Amino acid sequence: MRELLATPGATKYILEKYGLRAKKKYGQNFLIDPGVVERIVEAAQITKDDCVLEIGPGIGSMTQILSKAAGKVVCVEIDRSLQPVLEETLGDCENVKILWEDVLDVDLQALCEEYGGGRPLKVVANLPYYVTTPILMKLLELKSSAFSSITVMIQKEVADRIRSAPGSREYGALSLAVRYYADPEMVMIVKPGCFMPRPGVDSCVLCMHAHETPPVQADERMMFALIRAAFNQRRKTLANAVSHGYSLDGRTFTREQVAEALTEMGLSPSVRGEALSLEQFAELTGKLGRI
Ligand code: SAM
């Protein structure tokens, strides 16, 4: 389909033609501002050498632009009722492959190997807001070689959380996972009027180009397990949250062992996870790993 889909008229026409309504349960807020779609694709620096993973193509508004810029676009969409729509709107985009699945169930490592031809993929998505954090955590916890960049539309409030500093209320596992992966760049704030239907909050586009080498050295799986444990029970002290049989990538530690490691680092044994920087989580991971 040559006509731009990211406009109010085209989106309304397509939804009416197929008797569809945007589904709240799938976080469907379709982009209706072509300028915003162009900015997202531009920020992601897509070239014909790239294979792009788009999560949630919807009616294909961003996919049609990605298809022109990229070598290949692999989309994962949960809502099968969009199948006839995408067959029409992306019918002439031969480099687009659609997988009808919940992205949280997809083996992304295998997907990268199958479609990336040995090169990392670029992720571009207007994410469904009800699962923003689990999707981002899933992308970020993969080996950093899987995705060379992640460019996403998310709620502005989540972007603020990502960019928050240790000790603040918003700081959490997501802020740390992003920092480990990239220095996030805020591309633009997007107002509710750019979507159909309008979301209740401001959104923003965040672009993350993966660090060539991670900013800290640590066993990735164990460090992420430690971070998860720390923030799953953020009211507890770190030593309590991490002990009590909690498995860190197959290993368990006593409260005393964690407290001793923290003391060696010059931290209080009763410190909470929210006070630790990425560097300190990496150091603690190293100390626990050597026990
Ligand atoms: N990319 C389109 C756009 O910008 O207009 C649609 C974006 S809309 C905010 C989010 C899309 O993600 C919807 O198409 C929705 O059906 C899809 N989606 C929601 N949950 C999903 C999941 N768990 N896995 C894959 N796709 C999902």
Side-chain angles (χ1 to χ4, degrees):
M1 188 157 163
R2 297 196 190 285
E3 190 193 340
L4 274 184
L5 292 160
T7 67
T11 303
K12 201 159 166 272
Y13 169 79
I14 288 285
L15 291 177
E16 275 174 9
K17 178 171 173 184
Y18 288 92
L20 294 172
R21 276 163 176 267
K23 296 188 183 70
K24 217 174 169 172
K25 69 168 179 176
Y26 289 145
Q28 291 179 348
N29 298 97
F30 302 115
L31 268 168
I32 52 165
D33 184 326
V36 173
V37 176
E38 292 287 355
R39 278 284 296 282
I40 296 172
V41 178
E42 210 178 279
Q45 299 173 12
I46 307 295
T47 71
K48 281 287 168 197
D49 289 335
D50 290 319
C51 177
V52 173
L53 166 63
E54 186 191 6
I55 299 163
I59 64 166
S61 317
M62 195 144 71
T63 325
Q64 71 172 177
I65 310 295
L66 287 169
S67 160
K68 287 200 192 103
K72 174 105 193 146
V73 185
V74 183
C75 303
V76 180
E77 172 58 63
I78 198 170
D79 183 5
R80 273 197 172 264
S81 71
L82 292 169
Q83 193 160 358
V85 175
L86 291 182
E87 275 166 13
E88 175 185 338
T89 58
L90 303 177
D92 57 0
C93 299
E94 283 172 9
N95 59 351
V96 176
K97 165 91 186 163
I98 299 168
L99 307 173
W100 297 98
E101 283 182 76
D102 179 336
V103 72
L104 294 176
D105 294 336
V106 173
D107 179 344
L108 291 178
Q109 192 73 52
L111 183 147
C112 288
E113 277 155 25
E114 181 173 355
Y115 295 100
R119 298 189 59 217
L121 273 64
K122 290 183 175 169
V123 178
V124 182
N126 170 14
L127 286 179
Y129 292 173
Y130 76 107
V131 275
T132 302
T133 302
I135 293 178
L136 280 178
M137 286 303 285
K138 178 166 179 166
L139 296 172
L140 294 165
E141 286 188 12
L142 267 194
K143 280 216 163 308
S144 21
S145 54
F147 303 116
S148 57
S149 68
I150 301 175
T151 305
V152 280
M153 175 87 76
I154 54 179
Q155 303 98 304
K156 178 165 177 307
E157 171 248 316
V158 176
D160 292 341
R161 208 153 25 98
I162 285 174
R163 286 149 31 104
S164 62
S168 67
R169 211 164 47 84
E170 293 87 11
Y171 183 68
L174 187 58
S175 343
L176 285 155
V178 168
R179 266 224 53 218
Y180 182 69
Y181 175 81
D183 292 321
E185 177 202 339
M186 176 92 93
V187 177
M188 68 191 298
I189 304 281
V190 184
K191 291 287 174 190
C194 296
F195 302 89
M196 184 187 286
R198 291 162 172 251
V201 292
D202 279 355
S203 305
C204 85
V205 177
L206 205 68
C207 183
M208 298 166 263
H209 290 283
H211 293 303
E212 281 190 7
T213 47
V216 294
Q217 296 302 316
D219 175 329
E220 277 185 24
R221 286 168 64 100
M222 188 166 164
M223 184 172 73
F224 276 116
L226 179 63
I227 289 171
R228 269 184 190 277
F231 289 98
N232 269 347
Q233 308 180 67
R234 62 185 296 154
R235 287 176 167 279
K236 288 194 173 178
T237 68
L238 184 56
N240 271 332
V242 169
S243 54
H244 295 306
Y246 205 103
S247 161
L248 296 184
D249 197 26
R251 296 202 53 198
T252 54
F253 298 93
T254 63
R255 197 171 66 81
E256 289 68 31
Q257 284 174 317
V258 183
E260 195 182 319
L262 289 167
T263 309
E264 278 172 27
M265 289 168 59
L267 293 167
S268 158
S270 58
V271 72
R272 288 189 185 161
E274 64 198 27
L276 267 67
S277 65
L278 179 64
E279 290 68 19
Q280 288 169 320
F281 271 109
E283 189 180 347
L284 181 59
T285 305
K287 284 195 181 295
L288 295 177
R290 286 190 291 276
I291 288 175

Short mmCIF file of all heavy atoms in Angstrom, two decimals, residues 23 25-32 37 54-63 76-79 82 101-104 125-131 135 195, ligand 1:
data_model
loop_
_atom_site.label_atom_id
_atom_site.label_comp_id
_atom_site.label_asym_id
_atom_site.label_seq_id
_atom_site.Cartn_x
_atom_site.Cartn_y
_atom_site.Cartn_z
N LYS A 23 -7.78 -2.20 20.48
CA LYS A 23 -8.04 -3.00 21.68
C LYS A 23 -7.19 -2.50 22.85
O LYS A 23 -5.96 -2.54 22.80
CB LYS A 23 -7.71 -4.48 21.42
CG LYS A 23 -8.60 -5.10 20.37
CD LYS A 23 -8.36 -6.61 20.30
CE LYS A 23 -9.19 -7.25 19.22
NZ LYS A 23 -8.76 -6.91 17.86
N LYS A 25 -6.88 -3.93 25.72
CA LYS A 25 -6.15 -5.01 26.43
C LYS A 25 -4.80 -5.28 25.76
O LYS A 25 -3.91 -5.87 26.37
CB LYS A 25 -6.98 -6.29 26.49
CG LYS A 25 -7.19 -6.99 25.17
CD LYS A 25 -7.78 -8.38 25.39
CE LYS A 25 -8.01 -9.05 24.05
NZ LYS A 25 -8.47 -10.40 24.10
N TYR A 26 -4.63 -4.87 24.51
CA TYR A 26 -3.34 -5.03 23.84
C TYR A 26 -2.58 -3.70 23.73
O TYR A 26 -1.61 -3.59 22.98
CB TYR A 26 -3.52 -5.62 22.44
CG TYR A 26 -3.94 -7.08 22.43
CD1 TYR A 26 -4.80 -7.56 21.45
CD2 TYR A 26 -3.48 -7.97 23.40
CE1 TYR A 26 -5.19 -8.90 21.44
CE2 TYR A 26 -3.88 -9.30 23.40
CZ TYR A 26 -4.72 -9.76 22.42
OH TYR A 26 -5.11 -11.08 22.41
N GLY A 27 -3.05 -2.70 24.44
CA GLY A 27 -2.35 -1.40 24.44
C GLY A 27 -2.28 -0.78 23.05
O GLY A 27 -1.27 -0.20 22.67
N GLN A 28 -3.37 -0.90 22.29
CA GLN A 28 -3.34 -0.40 20.91
C GLN A 28 -3.63 1.10 20.83
O GLN A 28 -4.77 1.55 21.01
CB GLN A 28 -4.33 -1.19 20.04
CG GLN A 28 -3.86 -2.63 19.85
CD GLN A 28 -4.80 -3.49 19.02
OE1 GLN A 28 -5.93 -3.10 18.74
NE2 GLN A 28 -4.35 -4.68 18.65
N ASN A 29 -2.59 1.87 20.62
CA ASN A 29 -2.70 3.30 20.34
C ASN A 29 -1.91 3.52 19.07
O ASN A 29 -0.67 3.53 19.09
CB ASN A 29 -2.11 4.14 21.48
CG ASN A 29 -2.85 3.93 22.80
OD1 ASN A 29 -2.42 3.14 23.64
ND2 ASN A 29 -3.96 4.59 22.97
N PHE A 30 -2.62 3.63 17.96
CA PHE A 30 -1.94 3.68 16.65
C PHE A 30 -1.41 5.09 16.39
O PHE A 30 -2.07 6.08 16.67
CB PHE A 30 -2.92 3.25 15.55
CG PHE A 30 -3.46 1.87 15.77
CD1 PHE A 30 -4.81 1.65 16.03
CD2 PHE A 30 -2.62 0.76 15.77
CE1 PHE A 30 -5.31 0.38 16.25
CE2 PHE A 30 -3.10 -0.53 15.99
CZ PHE A 30 -4.45 -0.71 16.23
N LEU A 31 -0.22 5.13 15.80
CA LEU A 31 0.39 6.43 15.48
C LEU A 31 -0.31 7.04 14.27
O LEU A 31 -0.48 6.37 13.25
CB LEU A 31 1.88 6.24 15.18
CG LEU A 31 2.81 6.40 16.36
CD1 LEU A 31 4.21 5.92 16.01
CD2 LEU A 31 2.86 7.85 16.84
N ILE A 32 -0.71 8.31 14.38
CA ILE A 32 -1.41 8.95 13.25
C ILE A 32 -0.68 10.22 12.83
O ILE A 32 -1.26 11.09 12.20
CB ILE A 32 -2.89 9.26 13.60
CG1 ILE A 32 -2.98 10.05 14.92
CG2 ILE A 32 -3.70 7.98 13.66
CD1 ILE A 32 -4.34 10.68 15.14
N VAL A 37 6.59 9.16 13.04
CA VAL A 37 7.10 7.88 12.53
C VAL A 37 8.46 8.11 11.85
O VAL A 37 9.42 7.36 12.09
CB VAL A 37 6.09 7.23 11.55
CG1 VAL A 37 6.67 5.96 10.96
CG2 VAL A 37 4.78 6.93 12.26
N GLU A 54 10.45 -5.35 14.76
CA GLU A 54 9.41 -4.43 15.21
C GLU A 54 8.44 -5.20 16.10
O GLU A 54 7.86 -6.21 15.67
CB GLU A 54 8.64 -3.78 14.05
CG GLU A 54 7.68 -2.73 14.60
CD GLU A 54 6.65 -2.16 13.63
OE1 GLU A 54 6.55 -2.63 12.48
OE2 GLU A 54 5.92 -1.25 14.04
N ILE A 55 8.24 -4.71 17.31
CA ILE A 55 7.29 -5.35 18.22
C ILE A 55 5.96 -4.62 18.10
O ILE A 55 5.90 -3.40 18.29
CB ILE A 55 7.81 -5.31 19.67
CG1 ILE A 55 9.14 -6.07 19.76
CG2 ILE A 55 6.78 -5.89 20.65
CD1 ILE A 55 9.94 -5.77 21.00
N GLY A 56 4.91 -5.35 17.73
CA GLY A 56 3.58 -4.76 17.62
C GLY A 56 3.41 -3.84 16.43
O GLY A 56 3.30 -2.63 16.59
N PRO A 57 3.36 -4.38 15.21
CA PRO A 57 3.21 -3.51 14.03
C PRO A 57 1.83 -2.86 13.92
O PRO A 57 1.68 -1.88 13.19
CB PRO A 57 3.44 -4.48 12.86
CG PRO A 57 3.09 -5.83 13.39
CD PRO A 57 3.49 -5.81 14.84
N GLY A 58 0.81 -3.40 14.63
CA GLY A 58 -0.53 -2.80 14.55
C GLY A 58 -1.07 -2.92 13.14
O GLY A 58 -1.12 -4.00 12.56
N ILE A 59 -1.45 -1.78 12.53
CA ILE A 59 -1.97 -1.82 11.16
C ILE A 59 -0.83 -1.60 10.14
O ILE A 59 -1.09 -1.51 8.94
CB ILE A 59 -3.12 -0.81 10.92
CG1 ILE A 59 -2.63 0.65 11.09
CG2 ILE A 59 -4.29 -1.09 11.86
CD1 ILE A 59 -3.61 1.69 10.56
N GLY A 60 0.40 -1.48 10.64
CA GLY A 60 1.56 -1.41 9.74
C GLY A 60 2.08 0.00 9.48
O GLY A 60 2.91 0.20 8.59
N SER A 61 1.62 0.98 10.28
CA SER A 61 1.98 2.39 10.02
C SER A 61 3.49 2.64 10.04
O SER A 61 4.01 3.38 9.20
CB SER A 61 1.34 3.29 11.07
OG SER A 61 0.02 2.88 11.29
N MET A 62 4.17 2.04 11.01
CA MET A 62 5.62 2.25 11.08
C MET A 62 6.33 1.22 10.20
O MET A 62 7.38 1.50 9.62
CB MET A 62 6.07 2.11 12.54
CG MET A 62 7.43 2.65 12.80
SD MET A 62 7.52 3.40 14.41
CE MET A 62 7.44 1.96 15.43
N THR A 63 5.71 0.05 10.09
CA THR A 63 6.32 -1.04 9.31
C THR A 63 6.56 -0.61 7.86
O THR A 63 7.59 -0.95 7.26
CB THR A 63 5.42 -2.29 9.32
OG1 THR A 63 4.77 -2.37 10.59
CG2 THR A 63 6.21 -3.55 9.04
N VAL A 76 6.64 -8.94 15.34
CA VAL A 76 5.95 -9.88 16.23
C VAL A 76 4.67 -9.19 16.71
O VAL A 76 4.75 -8.12 17.34
CB VAL A 76 6.84 -10.26 17.45
CG1 VAL A 76 6.09 -11.24 18.35
CG2 VAL A 76 8.16 -10.86 16.99
N GLU A 77 3.53 -9.76 16.38
CA GLU A 77 2.24 -9.13 16.73
C GLU A 77 1.35 -10.17 17.41
O GLU A 77 1.17 -11.27 16.91
CB GLU A 77 1.59 -8.59 15.45
CG GLU A 77 0.17 -8.07 15.60
CD GLU A 77 -0.01 -6.95 16.63
OE1 GLU A 77 0.58 -5.87 16.44
OE2 GLU A 77 -0.73 -7.18 17.62
N ILE A 78 0.76 -9.79 18.53
CA ILE A 78 -0.07 -10.71 19.32
C ILE A 78 -1.49 -10.82 18.77
O ILE A 78 -2.15 -11.85 18.92
CB ILE A 78 -0.10 -10.25 20.80
CG1 ILE A 78 -0.57 -11.36 21.73
CG2 ILE A 78 -0.96 -9.01 20.99
CD1 ILE A 78 -0.39 -11.04 23.21
N ASP A 79 -1.99 -9.76 18.12
CA ASP A 79 -3.41 -9.68 17.77
C ASP A 79 -3.67 -10.20 16.36
O ASP A 79 -3.52 -9.49 15.38
CB ASP A 79 -3.86 -8.21 17.90
CG ASP A 79 -5.34 -8.05 17.62
OD1 ASP A 79 -6.04 -9.08 17.42
OD2 ASP A 79 -5.81 -6.89 17.60
N LEU A 82 -5.58 -8.70 13.27
CA LEU A 82 -4.95 -7.72 12.36
C LEU A 82 -4.37 -8.37 11.11
O LEU A 82 -3.86 -7.70 10.22
CB LEU A 82 -3.83 -6.96 13.10
CG LEU A 82 -4.30 -6.02 14.23
CD1 LEU A 82 -3.12 -5.54 15.06
CD2 LEU A 82 -5.04 -4.82 13.65
N GLU A 101 2.65 -13.85 17.42
CA GLU A 101 2.93 -14.39 18.76
C GLU A 101 2.98 -13.28 19.79
O GLU A 101 3.13 -12.10 19.45
CB GLU A 101 4.29 -15.10 18.75
CG GLU A 101 4.24 -16.47 18.12
CD GLU A 101 5.59 -17.16 18.18
OE1 GLU A 101 5.94 -17.62 19.26
OE2 GLU A 101 6.26 -17.20 17.14
N ASP A 102 2.92 -13.69 21.06
CA ASP A 102 3.17 -12.76 22.17
C ASP A 102 4.69 -12.63 22.26
O ASP A 102 5.39 -13.65 22.42
CB ASP A 102 2.59 -13.38 23.45
CG ASP A 102 2.82 -12.50 24.68
OD1 ASP A 102 3.76 -11.69 24.67
OD2 ASP A 102 2.06 -12.65 25.65
N VAL A 103 5.22 -11.44 22.17
CA VAL A 103 6.67 -11.28 22.15
C VAL A 103 7.32 -11.81 23.43
O VAL A 103 8.48 -12.26 23.41
CB VAL A 103 7.08 -9.80 21.88
CG1 VAL A 103 6.79 -8.92 23.10
CG2 VAL A 103 8.54 -9.70 21.48
N LEU A 104 6.55 -11.84 24.51
CA LEU A 104 7.12 -12.35 25.77
C LEU A 104 7.34 -13.86 25.72
O LEU A 104 8.07 -14.41 26.53
CB LEU A 104 6.22 -11.97 26.96
CG LEU A 104 6.13 -10.47 27.24
CD1 LEU A 104 5.15 -10.18 28.36
CD2 LEU A 104 7.51 -9.87 27.59
N ALA A 125 10.07 0.09 18.00
CA ALA A 125 8.70 -0.25 18.40
C ALA A 125 7.99 0.91 19.07
O ALA A 125 8.61 1.69 19.80
CB ALA A 125 8.73 -1.43 19.38
N ASN A 126 6.70 0.99 18.78
CA ASN A 126 5.79 1.81 19.57
C ASN A 126 5.18 0.81 20.54
O ASN A 126 4.25 0.09 20.19
CB ASN A 126 4.75 2.45 18.63
CG ASN A 126 3.62 3.14 19.38
OD1 ASN A 126 3.71 3.38 20.58
ND2 ASN A 126 2.56 3.46 18.65
N LEU A 127 5.76 0.73 21.74
CA LEU A 127 5.44 -0.39 22.63
C LEU A 127 4.05 -0.30 23.24
O LEU A 127 3.59 0.80 23.56
CB LEU A 127 6.47 -0.47 23.76
CG LEU A 127 7.86 -0.99 23.40
CD1 LEU A 127 8.77 -0.97 24.63
CD2 LEU A 127 7.80 -2.40 22.84
N PRO A 128 3.39 -1.48 23.41
CA PRO A 128 2.13 -1.48 24.15
C PRO A 128 2.44 -1.12 25.61
O PRO A 128 3.29 -1.76 26.23
CB PRO A 128 1.65 -2.93 24.02
CG PRO A 128 2.86 -3.73 23.65
CD PRO A 128 3.82 -2.82 22.98
N TYR A 129 1.74 -0.11 26.14
CA TYR A 129 2.15 0.42 27.44
C TYR A 129 1.90 -0.52 28.61
O TYR A 129 2.58 -0.43 29.62
CB TYR A 129 1.48 1.78 27.69
CG TYR A 129 2.00 2.86 26.75
CD1 TYR A 129 1.42 4.12 26.70
CD2 TYR A 129 3.09 2.62 25.92
CE1 TYR A 129 1.90 5.10 25.84
CE2 TYR A 129 3.58 3.60 25.06
CZ TYR A 129 2.97 4.83 25.02
OH TYR A 129 3.45 5.80 24.18
N TYR A 130 0.95 -1.49 28.45
CA TYR A 130 0.66 -2.37 29.59
C TYR A 130 1.78 -3.37 29.85
O TYR A 130 1.83 -3.96 30.92
CB TYR A 130 -0.68 -3.11 29.38
CG TYR A 130 -0.62 -4.26 28.39
CD1 TYR A 130 -0.67 -5.58 28.82
CD2 TYR A 130 -0.48 -4.02 27.02
CE1 TYR A 130 -0.60 -6.63 27.92
CE2 TYR A 130 -0.40 -5.06 26.12
CZ TYR A 130 -0.46 -6.36 26.57
OH TYR A 130 -0.37 -7.40 25.68
N VAL A 131 2.68 -3.56 28.89
CA VAL A 131 3.79 -4.51 29.11
C VAL A 131 5.15 -3.89 28.76
O VAL A 131 6.09 -4.60 28.43
CB VAL A 131 3.65 -5.82 28.31
CG1 VAL A 131 2.80 -6.82 29.02
CG2 VAL A 131 3.19 -5.59 26.90
N ILE A 135 8.76 -6.17 28.49
CA ILE A 135 9.36 -6.30 27.15
C ILE A 135 10.77 -5.70 27.16
O ILE A 135 11.72 -6.32 26.67
CB ILE A 135 8.48 -5.62 26.06
CG1 ILE A 135 7.15 -6.36 25.90
CG2 ILE A 135 9.22 -5.58 24.72
CD1 ILE A 135 6.18 -5.75 24.89
N PHE A 195 -1.77 9.98 18.53
CA PHE A 195 -2.21 8.58 18.52
C PHE A 195 -3.73 8.49 18.36
O PHE A 195 -4.46 9.39 18.74
CB PHE A 195 -1.87 7.91 19.86
CG PHE A 195 -0.42 7.91 20.24
CD1 PHE A 195 0.12 8.97 20.96
CD2 PHE A 195 0.40 6.85 19.90
CE1 PHE A 195 1.46 8.97 21.33
CE2 PHE A 195 1.74 6.84 20.28
CZ PHE A 195 2.27 7.91 20.99
N1 SAM B 1 3.17 0.01 15.69
C1 SAM B 1 1.79 0.43 15.64
C2 SAM B 1 1.73 1.93 15.58
O1 SAM B 1 2.73 2.58 15.94
O2 SAM B 1 0.70 2.48 15.18
C3 SAM B 1 0.98 -0.09 16.83
C4 SAM B 1 1.51 0.28 18.19
S1 SAM B 1 0.43 -0.14 19.52
C5 SAM B 1 0.96 1.03 20.74
C6 SAM B 1 1.11 -1.64 20.21
C7 SAM B 1 1.01 -2.88 19.33
O3 SAM B 1 1.59 -3.98 20.03
C8 SAM B 1 -0.39 -3.31 18.98
O4 SAM B 1 -0.45 -3.67 17.63
C9 SAM B 1 -0.66 -4.53 19.86
O5 SAM B 1 -1.60 -5.44 19.34
C10 SAM B 1 0.75 -5.13 19.94
N2 SAM B 1 0.99 -5.95 21.15
C11 SAM B 1 0.46 -5.79 22.37
N3 SAM B 1 0.96 -6.70 23.23
C12 SAM B 1 1.83 -7.45 22.52
C13 SAM B 1 2.65 -8.57 22.85
N4 SAM B 1 2.68 -9.05 24.09
N5 SAM B 1 3.40 -9.13 21.87
C14 SAM B 1 3.37 -8.63 20.61
N6 SAM B 1 2.61 -7.57 20.24
C15 SAM B 1 1.85 -6.98 21.18
#
